[in-house]
């Protein structure tokens, strides 16, 4: 009887989640530009969207945690895909002028291939030809333009990645655990997916991981290893950094696990007689403790300014609710784009999420390593996660791009967490209660993240890290500059945004007109100023084009010098990437 | 086996027609249907058939996902190869190479099936 009720609720929820999806797709608002409002996404999304998110989550939860629900792989994964569509893909489809982040640079590469039949020599396309070649082939054989191809690929990357993660998790946790793993992955993936080489290589990375895990855990066969190698070659040509990390993240634990297992198998009896395994735990634990202390200390030291910033912003946002519009006054008159209020929030979010995932993942990795008594799966998974830590440390000390190690660690982390939630049942009463509480907390936290994902997403990109010079330039333009300014911005290695004030299709047409050797300096005389910036925010600004600033700044200046009648002069220089030229 | 051969031949005929002879709707929609299948499903699917036999531990979802993934891999590798040839990447070279690869892999899958069957009968 109870099962029947649950089954009917489940069917009802699933039906409605699909229904809301169809209704939303048919009636979705088409937007010209984003407003400078921290709650923009929350305000513009219709109620059907939120109902769709809630029903698909409910349906997924029933499917995971209740017995007696008709369950099959294809059904479970379809609900999971629906949730991915709600949280990652749908918000991007609503804009008339899609802002593609890195896509502009890649569209240029694809366009070059379509025109010249070869990848642009000396370009990034030549260094990482995977995405360019695949997009070009799709564009040529389907007979569609490269802009549409970039849309298609961007929307399909999350689904294929999720599918491979689901299949990999299935090897460890079973079908229900794999569904939970997908849910965790969606919740913890605040970075979103964009059309760039990193996102594209994620598909190949997840495929390689799956093939390797499959050959290691399920069917150890030569043909499977050959397939893995084939995937790895494609990954190498798609993104060398990803493949290097995959090599470290997967092949290293693979080799380590194999050698560790063989050593343990040889010495197990001997170790047991000496009782050495228990004794070995102590140095392990103390090392971990020291490592954790150093790591926590570093994070507090590094994260303090962001934490302070985030606290101030939170207070500002709260005070806005109670009548004093602090943020509104801060961004008044600025064109569509990310508000400065988002800087600290996004940074803290990324920092906090990284710390959380590393802490939980580390605890689980060690737990499985010891608790499962060197089981094959636990060794593989734990070492997979542990091998992502050196990259974290490197990034903390040497680079500011925390999102890369975060993404690499997210795959084993999601599997570890779902495995723990689904399969760990202690025997002692007290441990039982504690475990139950921890599991409920973790699941609730994941759900909260999934729900917050579309709320905190702003102008369809979930993650942005505006640099301080860009913010200062924006601030200067907003306060002191009048007239129309042409803004050049962007960088091919990181995601950026531009504000497009024109709701027309001009933006898309511009790509085709500018493909002649990055010729970006037409009719400068019609503007009152030119701003070169990493990310662009401006009042009354019309964005002309996108291209890596470092490439065109010297040429731009040369052109300005050659034509003194234009009357431009460097007015405001923040750094080598953020410069403002105004007419004197 | 004969059926599969029949399906593949029909698919190729339709794809060639749709890619090279359809410039406007409604025939253009056939191109949108067949071309992605040729790039992102068929080569991988045939390769999966070579690697895994039917009775092996691989459910339909896994087969589908691997087909997509491996097709992507093969397409990228073909593109890379073509990029270093003098003719480069254009519609003709891409289509011919993809079609050739798919035919080769399909024949390979048929041979693998035949070999497995004869092994089982022995």
């Amino acid at each position: 009887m109870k099962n029947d009720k649950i089954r009917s609720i489940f069917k009802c929820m699933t039906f409605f989640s699909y229904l809301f999806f169809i209704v939303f797709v048919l009636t979705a608002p088409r937007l010209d530009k984003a407003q400078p409002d921290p709650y923009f996404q929350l305000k513009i999304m219709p109620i059907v969207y939120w109902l769709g998110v809630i029903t698909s989550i409910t349906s997924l939860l029933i499917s995971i945690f209740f017995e007696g629900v008709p369950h099959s792989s294809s059904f479970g994964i379809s609900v999971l895909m629906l949730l991915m569509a709600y949280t990652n893909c749908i918000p991007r489809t609503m804009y008339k002028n899609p802002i593609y982040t890195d896509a502009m640079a890649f569209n240029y590469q694809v366009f070059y291939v379509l025109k010249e039949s070869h990848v642009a020599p000396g370009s990034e396309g030549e260094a990482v030809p995977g995405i360019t070649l695949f997009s070009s082939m799709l564009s040529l054989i389907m007979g569609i333009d490269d802009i549409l191809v970039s849309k298609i690929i961007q929307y399909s990357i999350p689904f294929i990645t999720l599918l491979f993660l689901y299949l990999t998790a299935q090897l460890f946790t079973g079908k229900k655990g794999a569904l939970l793993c997908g849910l965790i992955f969606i919740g913890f993936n605040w970075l979103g997916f964009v059309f760039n080489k990193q996102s594209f290589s994620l598909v190949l990375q997840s495929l390689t991981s799956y093939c390797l895990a499959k050959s290691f855990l399920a069917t150890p066969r030569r043909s499977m290893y050959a397939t893995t190698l084939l995937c790895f070659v494609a990954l190498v040509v798609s993104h060398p950094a990803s493949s290097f990390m995959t090599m470290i993240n997967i092949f290293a634990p693979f080799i380590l696990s194999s050698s560790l297992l063989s050593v343990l198998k040889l010495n197990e009896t001997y170790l047991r007689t000496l009782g050495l395994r228990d004794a070995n735990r102590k140095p392990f634990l103390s090392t971990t403790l020291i490592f954790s202390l150093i790591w926590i200390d570093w994070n507090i030291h590094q994260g303090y300014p962001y934490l302070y910033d985030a606290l101030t912003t939170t207070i500002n946002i709260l005070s806005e609710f109670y009548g004093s519009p602090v943020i509104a006054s801060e961004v008044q008159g600025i064109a569509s784009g990310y508000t400065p209020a988002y800087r600290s929030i996004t940074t803290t979010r990324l920092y906090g999420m990284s710390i959380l995932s590393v802490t939980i993942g580390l605890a689980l990795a060690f737990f499985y390593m010891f608790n499962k008594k060197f089981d094959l799966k636990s060794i593989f998974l734990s070492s997979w996660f542990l091998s992502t830590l050196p990259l974290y440390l490197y990034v903390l000390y040497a680079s500011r791009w925390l999102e890369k190690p975060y993404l690499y660690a997210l795959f084993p982390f999601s599997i570890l967490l779902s495995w723990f939630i689904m399969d760990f049942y202690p025997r002692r009463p007290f441990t039982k209660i504690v475990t139950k509480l921890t599991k409920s907390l973790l699941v609730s936290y994941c759900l909260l993240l999934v729900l917050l994902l579309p709320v905190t997403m702003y102008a369809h990109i979930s993650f942005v890290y505006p640099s301080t010079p860009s913010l200062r330039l924006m601030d200067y333009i907003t306060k002191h500059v009048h007239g129309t300014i042409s803004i050049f911005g962007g960088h091919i290695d990181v995601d950026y945004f531009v504000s497009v004030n024109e709701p027309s299709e001009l933006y898309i047409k511009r790509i085709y007109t500018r493909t002649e050797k990055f010729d970006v300096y037409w009719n400068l005389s019609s503007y009152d100023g030119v701003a070169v910036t990493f990310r662009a925010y401006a009042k009354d600004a019309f964005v002309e084009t996108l291209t890596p600033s470092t490439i065109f700044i010297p040429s731009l200046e040369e052109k300005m010098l050659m034509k003194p009648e234009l009357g431009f002069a460097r007015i405001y220089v923040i750094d080598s990437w953020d410069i403002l030229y105004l007419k004197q | 086996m004969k059926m599969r051969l029949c399906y593949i031949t029909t698919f190729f005929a339709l794809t060639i027609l749709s890619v090279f002879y359809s410039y406007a709707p409604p025939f253009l929609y056939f191109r949108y249907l067949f071309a992605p299948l040729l790039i992102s499903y068929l080569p991988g699917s045939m390769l999966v058939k070579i690697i895994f036999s039917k009775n092996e531990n691989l459910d339909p979802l896994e087969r589908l996902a691997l087909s997509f993934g491996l097709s992507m891999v093969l397409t990228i590798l073909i593109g890379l190869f073509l990029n270093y040839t003098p003719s480069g990447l254009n519609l003709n070279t891409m289509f011919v190479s993809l079609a050739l690869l798919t035919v080769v892999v399909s024949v390979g899958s048929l041979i693998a099936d035949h070999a497995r069957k004869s092994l089982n009968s022995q």
Side-chain angles (χ1 to χ4, degrees):
Chain A
M1 192 64 193
K2 193 188 165 191
N3 275 353
D4 284 347
K5 258 188 183 175
I6 289 170
R7 212 172 294 156
S8 51
I9 294 172
F10 170 73
K11 278 180 185 170
C12 186
M13 285 293 160
T14 312
F15 170 75
F16 275 113
S17 60
Y18 279 102
L19 185 74
F20 289 138
F21 181 75
I22 293 164
V23 172
F24 179 78
V25 169
L26 292 176
T27 61
R30 303 289 289 158
L31 300 167
D32 288 335
K33 58 181 179 181
Q35 299 301 320
D37 176 5
Y39 302 105
F40 177 67
Q41 203 74 13
L42 187 65
K43 284 174 187 167
I44 53 153
M45 284 299 189
I47 188 79
V48 182
Y49 173 81
W50 300 109
L51 287 174
V53 172
I54 290 165
T55 45
S56 53
I57 287 177
T58 318
S59 160
L60 207 56
L61 284 180
I62 295 173
S63 169
I64 293 168
F65 292 108
F66 288 92
E67 296 296 328
V69 174
H71 189 270
S72 69
S73 289
S74 46
F75 169 76
I77 194 76
S78 72
V79 181
L80 203 61
M81 294 290 182
L82 199 63
L83 189 63
M84 182 57 109
Y86 272 122
T87 51
N88 266 280
C89 301
I90 281 181
R92 285 182 199 157
T93 58
M94 293 168 60
Y95 290 83
K96 279 183 188 169
N97 271 320
I99 306 164
Y100 290 116
T101 66
D102 272 357
M104 288 299 130
F106 284 97
N107 276 358
Y108 169 71
Q109 306 289 352
V110 175
F111 191 70
Y112 189 94
V113 173
L114 298 183
K115 231 172 103 185
E116 304 290 331
S117 300
H118 287 95
V119 174
S123 68
E124 204 187 24
E126 201 178 33
V128 279
I131 188 168
T132 314
L133 292 169
F134 188 74
S135 307
S136 313
M137 289 181 104
L138 206 61
S139 174
L140 269 173
I141 293 182
M142 277 183 79
I144 54 177
D145 67 44
D146 49 318
I147 305 280
L148 192 58
V149 166
S150 75
K151 269 188 192 176
I152 294 170
I153 291 184
Q154 181 170 237
Y155 300 144
S156 45
I157 283 172
F159 297 120
I160 305 176
T161 312
L162 191 67
L163 184 61
F164 283 119
L165 179 72
Y166 173 85
L167 292 176
T168 315
Q170 219 178 39
L171 295 172
F172 294 91
T173 63
K175 282 178 183 172
K176 292 196 169 194
L179 282 182
L180 182 65
C181 176
L183 187 70
I184 292 166
F185 182 74
I186 293 173
F188 273 79
N189 187 18
W190 290 80
L191 310 169
F193 292 92
V194 288
F195 179 80
N196 67 11
K197 57 186 188 294
Q198 286 97 338
S199 285
F200 186 74
S201 64
L202 266 185
V203 175
L204 297 167
Q205 192 192 332
S206 54
L207 171 67
T208 315
S209 312
Y210 166 71
C211 287
L212 203 69
K214 180 93 179 164
S215 51
F216 192 63
L217 301 169
T219 46
R221 296 172 34 160
R222 262 178 291 177
S223 52
M224 201 64 201
Y225 288 122
T227 315
T228 316
L229 199 68
L230 207 63
C231 301
F232 190 67
V233 174
L235 178 62
V236 171
V237 299
S238 295
H239 191 208
S242 294
S243 54
F244 176 69
M245 286 327 299
T246 311
M247 203 163 66
I248 292 176
N249 290 353
I250 303 170
F251 286 90
F254 173 67
I255 294 161
L256 276 176
S257 311
S258 310
S259 11
L260 190 66
L261 273 173
S262 56
V263 169
L264 281 172
K265 268 181 189 167
L266 283 174
N267 297 324
E268 201 168 12
T269 339
Y270 178 66
L271 283 171
R272 223 175 255 167
T273 49
L274 293 177
L276 270 180
R277 193 182 284 179
D278 279 338
N280 279 348
R281 286 184 190 185
K282 283 172 190 168
F284 250 120
L285 285 174
S286 50
T287 319
T288 315
L289 195 70
I290 294 166
F291 171 79
S292 311
L293 279 174
I294 296 169
W295 189 71
I296 290 166
D297 177 60
W298 172 257
N299 278 304
I300 290 171
H301 175 249
Q302 286 291 302
Y304 171 73
Y306 296 115
L307 201 67
Y308 178 77
D309 238 15
L311 270 174
T312 327
T313 313
T314 314
I315 292 165
N316 285 346
I317 290 171
L318 284 174
S319 60
E320 190 194 15
F321 261 134
Y322 289 102
S324 52
V326 179
I327 287 169
S329 68
E330 203 177 323
V331 296
Q332 207 170 16
I334 297 173
S336 58
Y338 294 98
T339 64
Y342 264 72
R343 187 173 71 118
S344 51
I345 289 179
T346 48
T347 313
T348 315
R349 191 168 67 183
L350 185 61
Y351 219 84
M353 296 292 285
S354 300
I355 291 169
L356 199 76
S357 66
V358 168
T359 316
I360 298 174
L362 201 63
L364 287 174
F366 277 107
F367 170 76
Y368 273 110
M369 197 76 110
F370 294 114
N371 191 58
K372 288 268 180 176
K373 302 214 187 296
F374 297 105
D375 158 56
L376 187 68
K377 285 180 183 176
S378 65
I379 284 191
F380 184 81
L381 199 54
S382 306
S383 38
W384 184 5
F385 182 80
L386 288 175
S387 61
T388 60
L389 292 178
L391 186 64
Y392 258 109
L393 289 175
Y394 165 75
V395 167
L396 281 174
Y397 283 95
S399 163
R400 63 186 173 133
W401 301 115
L402 202 58
E403 71 266 25
K404 285 174 189 169
Y406 179 70
L407 268 179
Y408 293 130
L410 202 55
F411 286 92
F413 168 76
S414 313
I415 302 173
L416 267 173
L417 193 56
S418 62
W419 198 14
F420 172 74
I421 293 171
M422 294 305 287
D423 283 354
F424 179 65
Y425 294 103
R427 285 173 199 162
R428 288 178 201 159
F430 176 70
T431 333
K432 252 185 189 174
I433 296 165
V434 173
T435 315
K436 223 175 184 178
L437 198 71
T438 317
K439 282 182 181 180
S440 323
L441 272 174
L442 286 170
V443 173
S444 322
Y445 185 68
C446 287
L447 290 179
L448 186 73
L449 290 180
V450 175
L451 282 171
L452 275 177
L453 195 63
V455 175
T456 51
M457 190 182 274
Y458 187 72
H460 82 264
I461 296 173
S462 54
F463 168 72
V464 71
Y465 187 101
S467 65
T468 313
S470 303
L471 288 169
R472 279 178 60 191
L473 188 70
M474 176 276 296
D475 192 48
Y476 186 86
I477 293 172
T478 311
K479 283 176 183 159
H480 306 289
V481 179
H482 302 283
T484 310
I485 299 157
S486 173
I487 296 179
F488 299 90
H491 184 269
I492 48 176
D493 261 358
V494 290
D495 50 351
Y496 58 87
F497 100 98
V498 288
S499 60
V500 182
N501 286 343
E502 289 288 311
S504 66
E505 292 297 312
L506 195 62
Y507 189 65
I508 288 172
K509 282 177 192 160
R510 190 63 79 189
I511 297 159
Y512 291 100
T513 56
R514 79 170 174 82
T515 45
E516 299 294 331
K517 295 177 185 172
F518 281 110
D519 188 12
V520 294
Y521 341 102
W522 64 93
N523 63 3
L524 281 177
S525 54
S526 56
Y527 295 97
D528 301 306
V530 176
V532 181
T533 182
F534 184 57
R535 287 189 178 87
Y537 309 81
K539 179 177 67 176
D540 300 323
F542 170 60
V543 175
E544 279 288 279
T545 184
L546 291 170
T547 185
S549 317
T550 41
I551 293 175
F552 73 81
I553 286 177
S555 322
L556 185 75
E557 291 206 337
E558 196 182 330
K559 169 143 184 169
M560 284 173 172
L561 286 173
M562 277 166 64
K563 288 191 174 180
E565 68 272 15
L566 290 174
F568 281 107
R570 271 185 177 210
I571 294 295
Y572 191 60
V573 181
I574 299 166
D575 61 10
S576 55
W577 280 359
D578 296 81
I579 306 164
L580 176 68
Y581 305 89
L582 284 180
K583 276 185 180 169
Q584 286 177 322
Chain B
M1 206 184 285
K2 275 181 188 169
M3 282 305 282
R4 197 194 302 170
L5 206 63
C6 204
Y7 285 141
I8 292 168
T9 316
T10 318
F11 174 79
F12 269 114
L14 286 172
T15 314
I16 290 168
L17 280 175
S18 66
V19 169
F20 290 101
Y21 297 102
S22 59
Y23 302 104
F27 295 109
L28 196 62
Y29 297 125
F30 286 108
R31 187 174 179 177
Y32 295 156
L33 182 77
F34 291 120
L37 278 178
L38 179 67
I39 296 171
S40 58
Y41 180 72
L42 207 61
S45 162
M46 292 298 135
L47 191 63
V48 169
K49 276 190 199 305
I50 295 179
I51 298 169
F52 301 99
S53 63
K54 266 183 187 169
N55 49 3
E56 220 161 328
N57 186 23
L58 206 66
D59 65 32
L61 191 68
E62 279 180 300
R63 270 182 196 276
L64 185 78
L66 270 176
S67 303
F68 276 123
L70 289 179
S71 297
M72 205 180 257
V73 166
L74 290 174
T75 310
I76 291 170
L77 295 179
I78 283 182
L80 194 72
F81 170 73
L82 285 177
N83 187 42
Y84 293 110
T85 58
S87 53
L89 295 99
N90 54 52
L91 181 61
N92 294 332
T93 55
M94 276 184 191
F95 189 85
V96 169
S97 351
L98 257 179
L100 262 178
L101 175 88
T102 315
V103 167
V104 168
V105 185
S106 307
V107 170
S109 76
L110 290 174
I111 293 169
D113 268 7
H114 183 72
R116 274 177 203 132
K117 268 182 192 167
S118 55
L119 259 179
N120 287 343
S121 61
Q122 278 173 9

